């Protein structure tokens, strides 16, 4: 548990640092959606037109967060803040790998952090690629109840990759249907 907490703290700290690729995409290039239907939520990140992705890159330092697609939920009460998403770190002695976005996501971890930066192993999210988007889905009843207990209204997304055309930050109203 201490190891997961340390990884969570490192993850969020590194995630807030400036991207090692300094260029940011323009607002219109990327779409992020946050939709709640009944007791399920779906967050969709647009992906760039790119067939091959590379991870564990030689240029990336060991123990560095190389890829992240993260969502933070907030509302009127900041006590309800959670961060969750898909994260890929470069571990020491990792070999550089190239492949599809599906392969990259398969190797990444899907995690949920509470406001205290504790990894919430008791909560679960699913991630998958569909229609050139990375989808993070919350369909587990306990996870949905916990994340939406404070009735969040805003979804903040942040995407961090080694590719300048794939990084962006968005804040949108959560759409309830």
């Amino acid at each position: 548990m201490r190891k997961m907490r340390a990884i969570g703290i490192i993850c969020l700290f590194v995630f807030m640092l400036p991207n090692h690729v300094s260029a940011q995409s323009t607002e219109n290039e990327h779409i992020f959606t946050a939709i709640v239907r009944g007791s399920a939520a779906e967050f969709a990140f647009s992906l760039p037109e790119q067939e091959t992705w590379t991870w564990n890159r030689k240029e990336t330092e060991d123990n560095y967060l190389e890829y992240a697609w993260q969502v933070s939920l907030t509302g009127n009460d900041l006590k309800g803040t959670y961060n969750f998403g898909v994260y890929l770190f470069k571990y020491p002695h990792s070999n550089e790998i190239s492949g599809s976005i599906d392969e990259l996501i398969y190797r990444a971890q899907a995690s949920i952090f509470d406001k205290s930066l504790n990894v919430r192993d008791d909560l679960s999210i699913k991630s998958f690629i569909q229609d050139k988007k990375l989808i993070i889905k919350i369909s587990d009843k306990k996870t949905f109840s916990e994340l939406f207990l404070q009735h969040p209204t805003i979804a903040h997304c942040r995407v961090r990759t080694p590719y300048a055309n794939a990084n962006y930050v968005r804040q949108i109203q959560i759409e309830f249907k």
Side-chain angles (χ1 to χ4, degrees):
M1 187 64 168
R2 288 182 107 177
K3 183 178 179 183
M4 291 302 286
R5 179 170 163 72
I7 289 172
I9 290 170
I10 291 168
C11 173
L12 292 175
F13 175 74
V14 170
F15 195 65
M16 297 305 168
L17 291 175
N19 291 333
H20 61 280
V21 175
S22 60
Q24 287 283 332
S25 305
T26 64
E27 183 95 6
N28 296 329
E29 289 180 39
H30 298 288
I31 298 169
F32 171 67
T33 60
I35 299 172
V36 174
R37 286 183 182 94
S39 60
E42 194 170 282
F43 302 88
F45 298 83
S46 64
L47 295 168
E49 297 281 337
Q50 184 168 315
E51 287 188 35
T52 303
W53 294 70
T54 302
W55 55 97
N56 299 330
R57 297 162 58 104
K58 293 175 184 127
E59 304 85 21
T60 304
E61 296 178 36
D62 286 346
N63 298 314
Y64 195 80
L65 179 63
E66 196 168 40
Y67 289 88
W69 290 268
Q70 180 173 284
V71 178
S72 298
L73 300 178
T74 59
N76 296 330
D77 182 0
L78 292 180
K79 289 188 279 186
T81 301
Y82 286 89
N83 298 302
F84 56 91
V86 177
Y87 308 93
L88 184 82
F89 289 88
K90 179 185 178 187
Y91 292 106
H93 313 293
S94 298
N95 294 323
E96 187 171 284
I97 301 172
S98 291
S100 70
I101 187 66
D102 290 299
E103 292 170 301
L104 188 155
I105 297 303
Y106 177 77
R107 287 177 167 78
Q109 67 187 52
S111 300
I112 301 173
F113 301 90
D114 65 18
K115 186 177 178 183
S116 301
L117 302 180
N118 293 314
V119 175
R120 294 294 305 268
D121 291 327
D122 60 322
L123 304 177
S124 67
I125 57 174
K126 295 177 182 168
S127 62
F128 54 93
I129 305 299
Q130 179 181 343
D131 300 327
K132 299 180 184 177
K133 295 180 191 135
L134 169 62
I135 308 295
I136 297 176
K137 188 167 188 168
I138 301 169
S139 55
D140 173 71
K141 189 174 183 174
K142 179 181 179 186
T143 302
F144 183 87
S145 294
E146 183 104 11
L147 269 60
F148 287 89
L149 179 66
Q150 301 293 327
H151 306 289
T153 56
I154 304 292
H156 307 266
C157 91
R158 183 172 177 118
V159 177
R160 177 191 180 93
T161 76
Y163 302 104
N165 67 335
N167 298 307
Y168 60 99
V169 176
R170 294 284 180 278
Q171 174 179 311
I172 64 168
Q173 287 286 127
I174 297 171
E175 187 177 335
F176 290 87
K177 292 187 173 189

